């Protein structure tokens, strides 16, 4: 440390050192400012900055070295070798250029440290190359190696600290980097100079005048050149930057798709783009620098542009000017046959930027969209009504087919007759499934399909879904099994009917497309959710088929010679239902290798309900009572009435049949019935109205409530709700099975004898 201080105090002229320090700080400040600006300009504009910044920095640091050397007193005359001195300048400029390219190309801290070290090494190389070009008269110099190492390492540490600054860019970073850079240059120079030892050598003599003259020329030339370059560059860059920025701003304003006009603090037009005059062609002649916004409005009124201003011009202008002074957002104006959106924004200096957008096309599109939406809503309502009507019309004859077939199945038949009856059953079930799929798809598309949310036994639901196709699998010689993992034997919240619909669809497909091997339905549970897997050893399918398998009306064998039936709707509906339940449906397969369909659902456990304490009599027990049941059937279709008669004729039931709701009301007023089977759509009086009338009669006469079942082809959820609201106890959709009808009759008439006695 004493050596360094001795070098500074005794061997340097302090009248010159401040000037060297000033050149270093000034040049680094300018260079780093240029580099910081290079970060924030367009790529095409960076080249000038990235050439000027390292040149200014290199020249500044190089001049600092030689100005400081001018202050150094070696005790003997000195001069410099021109070639080696020029090379030292090139080295430091190139080092700064490489470092700035590195810092600009990468934004990581490591890359910034590398760039900083590159600067430090370049400055060190410049210093020692400059010293190598030094020539002394009557002396030689030598170096103290430890001090040289301390000079280089200290300089590198100071300059590398620039990479650790917390600011990425801006004035704070530029100033801090300048201070650290100048400190690094000064440390390296003065510590390195303290490592110099001058040894008298009488045999080495230089002409004193030549040495002084050369040194002075180099010093003055470098300094003047540096200052001239800095001044010229700054002047040129300021002019170029302003010219370029204004030109680019003007280009941007002209390229705007909207009209833009800038009004100064006195509300006078200062600048506008071509689009501003195109949107307002009637006032183009009035647009000139200095015209006020009020004058522009007056020009528009005189041209008849503003229909809203007719007859109240002054008031309209006052309102428009008030809105302009206190802009509240975009404003829409009708100008002739066009619509404009006008937006005013205040500037910090009190000016106003007015932006005009022609939204005529948007208005027309909005009107067209509104009309299209109304048409789509009407079409959707018409479609829903059509589907409801078609459901009713198809279900009515289908109920006759299924009902008569089921009634016929309860009689003595030959083997051939039984086979033909089975074909009728199979065909009617296929038609019923297709009808249900189409209605489900329509409800999904219209957003009217609602899922239930109730606790149910997952194991029971899965096993019931599997049992439906167990017999069909056995008939084809397939192994069929259902496995529910112990952790999945739980009660959960959800819609058991829709879950069963998905599982039966998957199992049905598996059985249908498998000729040999096995079909399995397995369920396991994890904290994340439930996983249902339906696996088979059937025909399988390839990746291309998998992409379209869940599309509507698609099947794996879609050509005209397909061997398997189906509508192609089941998987599409199942995937929609899975999504509505918060899960998903996917599949894995390969041709000839079978398939696996995976249904995942969120796990929503529920508490199992308490075991029931009341026992329910078997279905057939009610028909063993000594008193026969009296049942009223109200249906306008004779086939439907006959189906009910065929099913109930074999039981202890007395049937009374009527053709419309009015007759049903009269029958209930004249006699007491144990049960009423009511159709919904009937002439004279519909089933809903008839149900309400029966309930009113019961209340008025103090009679007990007669169970009423809406036995109807109207099977949509809104129909079920309408029946409940009218006073019905149950809803049984046509076509219905014999078992479903008998079970419902048994359930609703379980206390019929007691009710009959009370009614009597």
């Amino acid at each position: 440390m004493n050596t360094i201080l001795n070098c500074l105090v005794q061997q340097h002229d302090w009248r010159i050192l401040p000037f060297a320090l000033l050149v270093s700080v000034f040049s680094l400040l300018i260079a780093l400012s240029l580099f910081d600006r290079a970060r924030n300009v367009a790529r095409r504009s960076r080249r000038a900055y990235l050439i000027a910044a390292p040149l200014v920095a290199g020249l500044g640091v190089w001049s600092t070295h030689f100005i400081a050397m001018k202050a150094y007193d070696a005790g003997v005359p000195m001069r410099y070798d021109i070639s080696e001195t020029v090379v030292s300048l090139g080295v430091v400029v190139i080092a700064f250029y490489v470092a700035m390219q590195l810092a600009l190309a990468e934004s990581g801290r490591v890359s910034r440290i590398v760039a900083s070290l590159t600067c430090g090494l370049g400055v060190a190389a410049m210093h020692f190359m400059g010293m190598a070009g030094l020539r002394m008269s009557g002396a030689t110099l030598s170096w103290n190696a430890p001090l040289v190492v301390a000079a280089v390492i200290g300089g590198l540490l100071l300059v590398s600290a620039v990479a650790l600054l917390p600011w990425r860019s801006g004035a704070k970073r530029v100033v801090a980097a300048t201070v650290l850079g100048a400190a690094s240059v000064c440390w390296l120079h003065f510590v390195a100079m303290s490592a110099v030892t001058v040894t008298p050598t009488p045999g080495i003599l230089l002409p004193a005048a030549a040495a002084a003259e050369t040194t002075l020329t180099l010093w003055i030339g470098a300094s003047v050149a540096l200052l001239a370059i800095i001044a010229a560059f700054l002047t040129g860059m300021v002019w170029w930057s302003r010219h370029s920025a204004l030109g680019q701003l003007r280009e941007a304003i002209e390229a705007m798709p909207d009209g833009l006009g800038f009004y100064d603090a006195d509300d006078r037009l200062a600048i506008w783009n071509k689009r501003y005059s195109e949107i307002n062609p009637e006032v183009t002649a009035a647009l000139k620098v200095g015209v006020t916004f009020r004058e522009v409005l007056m020009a528009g009124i005189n041209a008849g542009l503003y229909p809203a201003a007719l007859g109240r011009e002054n008031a309209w202008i006052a309102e428009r000017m008030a809105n302009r002074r206190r802009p509240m957002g975009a404003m829409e104006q009708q100008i002739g046959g066009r619509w404009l959106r006008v937006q005013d924004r205040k500037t910090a200096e009190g000016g106003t930027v007015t932006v005009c957008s022609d939204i005529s096309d948007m208005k027309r599109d909005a009107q067209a969209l509104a009309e299209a939406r109304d048409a789509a809503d009407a079409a959707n309502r018409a479609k829903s009504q059509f589907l409801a009507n078609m459901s009713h019309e198809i279900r009515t004859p289908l109920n006759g087919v299924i009902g008569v077939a089921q009634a016929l199945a309860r009689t003595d038949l030959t083997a051939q007759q039984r086979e033909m009856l089975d074909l009728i059953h199979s065909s009617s079930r296929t038609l019923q499934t297709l009808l249900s799929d189409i209605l489900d798809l329509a409800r999904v598309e219209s957003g009217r399909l609602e899922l239930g949310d109730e606790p149910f036994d997952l194991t029971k639901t899965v096993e019931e879904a599997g049992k439906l196709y167990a017999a069909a699998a056995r008939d084809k010689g397939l192994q069929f099994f259902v496995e529910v993992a112990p952790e999945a034997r739980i009660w959960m919240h959800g819609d058991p009917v829709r879950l069963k619909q998905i599982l039966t669809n998957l199992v049905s497909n598996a059985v249908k497309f498998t000729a040999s091997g096995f079909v399995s339905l397995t369920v396991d549970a994890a904290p994340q959710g439930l996983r249902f897997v339906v696996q088979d050893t059937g025909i399988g399918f390839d990746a291309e088929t998998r992409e379209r398998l869940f599309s509507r009306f698609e099947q794996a064998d879609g050509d005209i010679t397909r061997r398997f039936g189906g509508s192609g709707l089941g998987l599409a509906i199942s995937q929609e239902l899975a999504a509505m339940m918060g899960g998903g449906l996917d599949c894995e397969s390969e041709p000839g290798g079978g398939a696996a369909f995976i249904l995942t659902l969120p796990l929503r456990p529920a508490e199992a309900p308490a075991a029931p304490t009341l026992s329910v009599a078997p279905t057939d027990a009610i028909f063993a009572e000594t008193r026969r049941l009296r049942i009223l059937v109200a249906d306008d279709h004779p086939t439907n009435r006959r189906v009910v008669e065929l099913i109930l004729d074999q039981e202890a039931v007395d049937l009374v049949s009527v053709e419309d709701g009015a007759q049903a009301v009269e029958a209930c007023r004249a006699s007491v019935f144990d049960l009423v089977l009511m159709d919904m759509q009937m002439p004279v009086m519909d089933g809903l109205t008839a149900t309400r009338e029966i309930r009113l009669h019961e209340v008025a006469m103090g009679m007990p409530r007669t169970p009423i079942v809406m036995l109807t082809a109207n099977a949509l959820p809104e129909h079920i709700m309408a029946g409940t609201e009218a006073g019905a106890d149950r809803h049984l959709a046509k076509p219905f099975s014999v078992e479903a009808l008998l079970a419902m009759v048994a359930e609703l008439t379980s206390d019929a004898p007691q009710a009959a006695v009370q009614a009597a």
Side-chain angles (χ1 to χ4, degrees):
M1 183 59 70
N2 291 332
T3 302
I4 299 173
L5 293 176
N6 182 64
C7 175
L8 284 172
V9 173
Q10 296 185 9
Q11 292 183 283
H12 285 84
D13 186 348
W14 278 89
R15 294 172 298 176
I16 299 175
L17 288 182
F19 183 62
L21 180 60
L22 180 63
V23 170
S24 175
V25 172
F26 182 66
S27 60
L28 287 176
L29 181 63
I30 296 300
L32 291 173
S33 297
L34 293 173
F35 177 71
D36 187 66
R37 184 167 178 79
R39 290 178 178 272
N40 302 313
V41 298
R43 188 177 296 274
R44 65 180 183 177
S45 303
R46 289 179 179 174
R47 182 174 299 176
Y49 292 100
L50 293 179
I51 292 174
L55 183 60
V56 170
L59 278 171
V61 173
W62 183 80
S63 297
T64 299
H65 169 74
F66 286 101
I67 294 171
M69 288 304 297
K70 178 64 178 176
Y72 180 71
D73 182 11
V76 296
M78 298 184 303
R79 70 176 176 84
Y80 293 92
D81 182 86
I82 296 299
S83 60
E84 293 184 24
T85 302
V86 172
V87 170
S88 69
L89 173 60
V91 167
V92 73
V93 171
I94 292 173
F96 274 110
Y97 179 80
V98 172
M100 290 182 181
Q101 293 288 347
L102 288 173
L104 194 64
E106 299 289 343
S107 59
R109 177 167 293 179
V110 174
S111 65
R112 294 199 298 271
I113 292 176
V114 172
S116 299
L117 292 176
T118 302
C119 290
L121 291 173
V123 173
M126 180 275 300
H127 176 85
F128 291 108
M129 288 185 69
M131 293 298 294
L134 178 65
R135 304 289 184 266
M136 293 184 176
S137 180
T140 57
L141 61 84
S142 59
W143 299 91
N144 183 333
L147 282 177
V148 169
V149 172
V152 174
I153 292 178
L156 292 178
L157 289 176
L158 284 171
V159 77
S160 63
V162 174
L164 305 178
L165 293 174
W167 311 285
R168 295 292 302 278
S169 62
K172 290 183 179 180
R173 181 178 180 85
V174 169
V175 172
T178 299
V179 172
L180 289 172
S184 173
V185 171
C186 292
W187 172 273
L188 191 148
H189 177 85
F190 293 113
V191 175
M193 290 307 297
S194 68
V196 171
T197 301
V198 178
T199 304
T201 309
I204 300 177
L205 297 175
L206 297 176
E213 183 180 356
T214 301
T215 303
L216 182 62
T217 301
L218 287 174
W219 174 63
I220 295 175
S223 300
V224 172
L226 173 64
L227 294 177
I229 289 173
I230 292 175
F233 181 80
L234 286 178
T235 303
M237 288 303 295
V238 168
W239 178 86
W240 179 84
S241 178
R242 289 181 178 178
H243 179 76
S244 176
L246 288 174
Q248 292 176 2
L249 180 60
R250 184 69 191 187
E251 288 180 6
I253 292 175
E254 288 294 339
M256 288 181 61
D258 301 325
L260 182 144
F262 172 66
Y263 294 79
D264 61 19
D266 296 325
D267 213 14
R268 294 183 179 277
L269 185 61
I271 188 173
W272 67 97
N273 62 358
K274 185 178 179 181
R275 183 60 177 159
Y276 190 69
S277 59
E278 289 176 349
I279 288 180
N280 303 280
E282 294 84 357
V283 299
T284 300
L287 296 179
K288 57 185 179 181
V289 176
V291 67
T292 64
F293 184 72
R294 179 182 289 272
E295 291 171 343
V296 174
L297 291 181
M298 286 301 302
I301 288 178
N302 294 334
L305 292 182
Y306 310 116
L310 294 177
R312 51 186 299 272
E313 290 79 2
N314 292 333
W316 185 86
I317 289 179
E319 293 172 1
R320 179 67 183 90
M321 295 301 295
N323 290 335
R324 184 174 177 79
R325 286 190 295 271
R326 297 183 299 275
M328 302 298 292
M331 176 180 60
E332 294 182 358
Q333 286 183 344
Q334 186 175 11
I335 300 180
R338 296 176 297 120
W339 279 90
L340 297 183
R341 176 179 289 131
V342 182
Q343 206 163 9
D344 296 324
R345 286 290 182 267
K346 289 293 184 181
T347 67
E349 300 296 329
T352 305
V353 177
T354 299
V355 180
C356 299
S357 308
D358 191 336
I359 59 171
S360 302
D361 292 341
M362 189 185 302
K363 283 287 187 180
R364 285 191 290 269
D365 292 344
Q367 180 64 26
L369 286 174
E371 294 174 355
R373 180 201 60 209
D374 294 340
D377 289 343
N380 191 51
R381 288 192 297 271
K383 181 184 73 173
S384 298
Q385 185 61 42
F386 171 77
L387 288 173
N389 292 338
M390 289 305 298
S391 171
H392 182 274
E393 296 302 320
I394 294 175
R395 285 177 182 275
T396 296
L398 184 60
N399 181 63
V401 173
I402 295 177
V404 172
Q406 291 177 336
L408 184 61
R410 304 176 72 190
T411 63
D412 294 332
L413 299 173
T414 65
Q416 184 179 16
Q417 290 171 333
R418 181 70 61 182
E419 180 181 1
M420 290 187 289
L421 191 60
D422 289 341
L423 290 175
I424 294 175
H425 275 305
S426 176
S427 298
S428 61
R429 282 196 301 269
T430 300
L431 183 58
Q432 185 177 4
T433 300
L434 176 60
L435 178 62
S436 298
D437 284 347
I438 293 175
L439 290 176
D440 283 344
L441 178 62
R443 288 200 291 269
V444 168
E445 286 184 338
S446 63
R448 299 167 62 191
L449 182 64
E450 296 182 359
L451 297 178
D453 190 8
E454 60 183 79
F456 67 93
D457 187 346
L458 180 62
T459 303
K460 179 181 178 182
T461 301
V462 172
E463 290 177 347
E464 288 177 351
K467 288 179 182 178
L468 291 175
Y469 292 92
R474 287 194 299 270
D475 292 343
K476 295 181 69 174
L478 303 175
Q479 298 181 45
F480 183 83
F481 54 90
V482 178
E483 292 184 358
V484 181
E487 63 270 16
R489 295 181 176 275
I490 59 173
W491 281 71
M492 65 175 291
H493 286 285
D495 190 330
V497 175
R498 293 302 179 181
L499 175 58
K500 191 183 299 184
Q501 179 180 351
I502 297 175
L503 295 178
T504 54
N505 184 277
L506 298 179
V507 173
S508 169
N509 285 342
V511 172
K512 179 167 57 174
F513 290 102
T514 304
S516 62
F518 73 90
V519 173
S520 66
L521 168 58
T522 60
V523 187
D524 57 69
Q528 295 78 15
L530 294 167
R531 187 170 182 267
F532 305 79
V533 180
V534 177
Q535 190 171 2
D536 63 66
T537 55
I539 61 175
F541 46 84
D542 55 22
E544 181 182 357
T545 302
R546 181 184 180 279
E547 294 299 323
R548 58 184 176 84
L549 196 60
F550 292 99
S551 300
R552 293 161 186 172
F553 308 104
E554 289 281 0
Q555 284 194 332
D557 58 334
D559 58 20
I560 58 175
T561 60
R562 63 184 184 177
R563 293 172 292 154
F564 308 99
S567 64
L569 288 175
L571 288 177
I573 294 172
S574 297
Q575 192 176 56
E576 296 274 7
L577 290 174
M580 292 177 66
M581 293 177 181
L585 178 61
D586 203 351
C587 60
E588 298 174 356
S589 180
E590 59 182 21
F597 285 80
I598 303 100
L599 170 67
T600 56
L601 294 178
L603 184 62
R604 300 174 57 206
E607 293 292 334
T613 56
L614 298 178
S615 59
V616 179
T619 301
D620 294 336
I622 187 63
F623 300 109
E625 297 287 348
T626 56
R627 193 187 68 80
R628 295 174 64 84
L629 296 175
R630 287 176 52 80
I631 297 179
L632 174 65
V633 180
D635 199 308
D636 62 319
H637 202 289
T639 301
N640 289 333
R641 296 197 301 271
R642 184 56 181 158
V643 167
V644 176
E645 291 172 359
L646 290 173
I647 293 174
L648 296 181
D649 268 352
Q650 302 179 31
E651 309 298 340
V653 173
D654 292 328
L655 284 176
V656 177
S657 299
V658 295
E659 299 180 358
D660 57 60
Q663 294 180 8
V665 173
E666 291 300 323
C668 287
R669 290 174 178 174
S671 181
V672 175
F673 293 94
D674 299 300
L675 181 67
V676 177
L677 303 178
M678 183 79 72
D679 190 17
M680 188 172 287
Q681 290 185 214
M682 294 182 291
V684 184
M685 180 183 291
D686 62 81
L688 297 177
T689 305
T691 301
R692 295 189 189 96
E693 291 294 327
I694 293 173
R695 294 304 184 211
L696 289 174
H697 174 71
E698 290 172 345
V699 172
M701 301 301 295
M703 298 173 59
R705 182 184 176 94
T706 303
I708 299 179
V709 178
M710 302 306 295
L711 194 64
T712 174
N714 298 92
L716 298 178
E718 54 266 33
H719 299 144
I720 299 174
M721 183 179 297
T724 302
E725 292 174 350
D729 298 280
R730 294 286 191 278
H731 187 285
L732 185 60
K734 301 173 185 175
F736 51 82
S737 65
V738 171
E739 293 79 8
L741 178 61
L742 293 179
M744 186 168 290
V745 170
E747 177 187 357
L748 295 177
T749 60
S750 58
D751 58 348
Q754 290 79 5
V757 171
Q758 292 173 3

